Amino acid sequence: GPALLNLLRVDHYIARGLTLGTISHAIGTTRAFTEGEVCGSMSSLAMALAGTLTAFIAPLFAALFF
């Protein structure tokens, strides 16, 4: 989470928010809001987009392999 982003020197709040939302989902989004409103908003957006893409892509993979 944030410790790894600090270690990698990712300090831009939009990049941190997108990363936390995509990887950590709800817990990451909650943590992102503690870093700032923009960071939390980007995290929420990333979480929603990841969920939407998964809902569209998963059936395609299922149709290909089953």
Side-chain angles (χ1 to χ4, degrees), residues 33-60:
F33 272 109
T34 64
E35 294 190 18
E37 287 183 11
V38 174
C39 186
S41 298
M42 290 295 114
S43 182
S44 297
L45 177 65
M47 184 173 58
L49 289 175
T52 302
L53 288 174
T54 301
F56 283 111
I57 293 173
L60 297 175

Side-chain angles (χ1 to χ4, degrees), residues 2-30:
L4 181 60
L5 293 174
N6 290 337
L7 180 67
L8 296 173
R9 297 182 181 160
V10 178
D11 58 354
H12 196 272
Y13 52 89
I14 293 176
R16 290 177 72 91
L18 291 173
T19 303
L20 289 170
T22 303
I23 302 302
S24 303
H25 299 291
I27 294 172
T29 298
T30 303

